[in-house]
Amino acid sequence: MKRGGGRDSDHNSSEEGTAEKSKKLRTTNEHSQTCDWGNLLQDIILQVFKYLPLLDRAHASQVCRNWNQVFHMPDLWRCFEFELNQPATSYLKATHPELIKQIIKRHSNHLQYVSFKVDSSKESAEAACDILSQLVNCSLKTLGLISTARPSFMDLPKVSAGFALLAFTEKSSETLPISCTDNENSHFISALTVVFVNSKSLSSLKIDDTPVDDPSLKVLVANNSDTLKLLKMSSCPHVSPAGVLCVADRCHGLRELALNYHLLSDELLLALSSEKHVRLEHLRIDVVSENPGQTHFHAIQKSSWDAFIRHSPKVNLVMYFFLYEEEFDPFFRYEIPATHLYFGRSVSKDVLGRVGMTCPRLVELVVCANGLRPLDEELIRIAERCKNLSAIGLGECEVSCSAFVEFVKMCGGRLSQLSIMEEVLIPDQKYSLEQIHWEVSKHLGRVWFPDMMPTW
């Protein structure tokens, strides 16, 4: 009896085990069916697609209909960078023409953050203008035009003579005729104006090295004055001080501005200092001379700078100088509120001495070249008077090791960036190149070494 009962028990256990395995198998199959990748929620797929490069995203869109639908969702097309390069003039990849057509056809009304990277060829610049002129159904928030090499936009041909574009402002029935024969780069102007007219909420505009002109800026202001916060337009030869002043007078929310020195005026600084205008956070001025002795640089009154700083006391005033030594005479004659100074060409001892006397707000100083006269006194003066200095870079200059150690000692730990080429430091009776490493490190509170020139 016991043996028979044992066999029955073993048989029942075997059946129970088989049933349990079958149940687990069915559960696994059901689970695998519920995890079908093609049936994932579109919100989940969307978040994954946002991390993929465009090409990978396009390949993934061919998996199934659900993924293809996600590929064309507006959220994936808010931001796009058009890379326009010709194989003969650039090694960079270019956005495929068929993809550009699809974007214009299906997603132009979704675009909000657009940038163009354009090489030096006319063909690429013209292609960028063609795309801009077709963005009639979108309301851009940011637009950046980046020329990876000159001339690009500055060398575009004219369109048909007599062509004019009528721009209507949103707030009035006023008609603004934009004559495209006044500017030889009328193809670019007409395309850019299309964007200005249709984008009613443009907040960031980067158009350095382009032929934008005063009339097109008026259209920009007429349609985007309430939203524009950033405007960068260095090296725009067709813009006059009056054109920039129009922007400052109307765009009271402007917080960042970048332009060439010839566009800077007392009137512009006073306009940026008005009670209606928000406090400017960043002002970049490029002081550039291509032909020595042929460029006249005007002087800005101290009272204008004072009014500007009273209104925007925390503004970063960044100045890039690409001048020849004899052209510095109008600058640093009285106190100016510069916070960042970059000298891209050789600058004299006299000018650097004046920097120490006239730039008490200085935070960063970069000198690419000076000559063979040591800058000992000039550096000590800068350390004494520029109490906010936290970054300095010296290239083809000369400084004695003793003066450099004294400079670092006076500035102390606030020097967060100290980039000095080893060739700059001249050993003296007090310090050798081996000793200066330890001495400077001691005053900085961290390990420091001078930069080395590559030997290749």
Side-chain angles (χ1 to χ4, degrees), residues 200-362:
K200 306 298 183 182
S201 58
L202 197 61
S203 63
S204 175
L205 181 62
K206 300 177 183 179
I207 47 175
D208 298 328
D209 297 300
T210 64
V212 62
D213 57 9
D214 289 357
S216 55
L217 287 181
K218 290 182 179 179
V219 178
L220 168 70
V221 169
N223 292 274
N224 302 273
S225 60
D226 294 336
T227 58
L228 190 65
K229 291 181 174 60
L230 182 149
L231 178 60
K232 292 185 177 182
M233 52 178 188
S234 297
S235 302
C236 296
H238 300 299
V239 175
S240 72
V244 180
L245 186 59
C246 172
V247 176
D249 281 336
R250 298 281 298 277
C251 300
H252 297 147
L254 195 65
R255 295 183 181 276
E256 295 188 36
L257 180 62
L259 41 77
N260 279 74
Y261 185 80
H262 77 275
L263 297 177
L264 186 68
S265 64
D266 295 293
E267 293 79 10
L268 175 61
L269 288 177
L270 294 176
L272 294 172
S273 307
S274 68
E275 294 181 357
K276 297 180 180 179
H277 207 288
V278 300
R279 290 180 174 86
L280 206 68
E281 297 174 358
H282 193 93
L283 175 60
R284 169 175 167 164
I285 307 297
D286 290 349
V287 192
V288 182
S289 172
E290 300 292 347
N291 301 308
Q294 298 184 16
T295 305
H296 172 72
F297 294 97
H298 59 284
I300 301 295
Q301 296 181 11
K302 184 178 184 300
S303 58
S304 302
W305 284 122
D306 292 342
F308 176 64
I309 288 301
R310 281 196 301 271
H311 182 264
S312 302
K314 296 183 179 181
V315 66
N316 286 320
L317 176 58
V318 183
M319 301 187 74
Y320 284 80
F321 286 89
F322 294 89
L323 302 182
Y324 297 92
E325 288 190 14
E326 62 272 16
E327 297 175 318
F328 276 99
D329 187 64
F331 301 98
F332 308 110
R333 291 298 179 183
Y334 51 80
E335 190 172 296
I336 62 171
T339 56
H340 300 71
L341 291 177
Y342 303 91
F343 295 97
R345 291 181 183 148
S346 181
V347 57
S348 67
K349 279 172 62 69
D350 176 61
V351 172
L352 289 176
R354 301 202 312 253
V355 167
M357 299 296 294
T358 59
C359 301
R361 299 179 73 243
L362 192 63

Side-chain angles (χ1 to χ4, degrees), residues 404-448:
F404 182 66
V405 170
E406 183 63 21
F407 168 79
V408 175
K409 183 178 178 180
M410 295 173 68
C411 294
R414 76 170 188 261
L415 283 175
S416 59
Q417 296 183 20
L418 186 60
S419 179
I420 311 296
M421 299 301 298
E422 186 180 54
E423 291 77 8
V424 170
L425 302 172
I426 308 301
D428 52 25
Q429 295 180 349
K430 196 170 182 180
Y431 297 104
S432 66
L433 288 177
E434 291 75 19
Q435 293 171 319
I436 198 172
H437 150 63
W438 299 104
E439 196 67 21
V440 171
S441 298
K442 179 179 69 176
H443 295 299
L444 288 178
R446 64 182 188 275
V447 177
W448 178 85

Side-chain angles (χ1 to χ4, degrees), residues 27-139:
T27 304
T28 302
N29 291 336
E30 292 173 359
H31 182 69
S32 63
Q33 291 176 359
T34 58
C35 289
D36 183 7
W37 289 96
N39 292 324
L40 281 176
L41 294 176
Q42 290 192 344
D43 288 342
I44 297 176
I45 303 173
L46 178 63
Q47 294 304 316
V48 174
F49 275 20
K50 286 181 178 180
Y51 288 95
L52 295 179
L54 178 60
L55 186 60
D56 293 342
R57 197 190 307 165
H59 289 159
S61 69
Q62 301 176 24
V63 169
C64 61
R65 180 178 299 177
N66 189 33
W67 287 27
N68 186 265
Q69 290 175 351
V70 175
F71 177 74
H72 292 289
M73 290 178 70
D75 284 353
L76 289 176
W77 300 97
R78 305 288 188 208
C79 178
F80 194 82
E81 180 177 78
F82 294 93
E83 296 184 78
L84 305 174
N85 306 297
Q86 302 300 316
T89 58
S90 176
Y91 62 89
L92 299 174
K93 293 182 179 180
T95 306
H96 197 280
E98 287 300 321
L99 176 60
I100 294 176
K101 291 181 181 178
Q102 288 298 316
I103 292 173
I104 298 300
K105 180 179 179 180
R106 302 188 61 170
H107 304 293
S108 62
N109 59 326
H110 303 146
L111 294 172
Q112 293 182 352
Y113 309 95
V114 174
S115 61
F116 292 81
K117 274 188 178 180
V118 183
D119 64 9
S120 61
S121 66
K122 291 182 182 180
E123 293 81 3
S124 297
E126 288 176 349
C129 292
D130 290 338
I131 296 172
L132 283 172
S133 63
Q134 296 179 69
L135 300 181
V136 294
N137 296 319
C138 66
S139 182

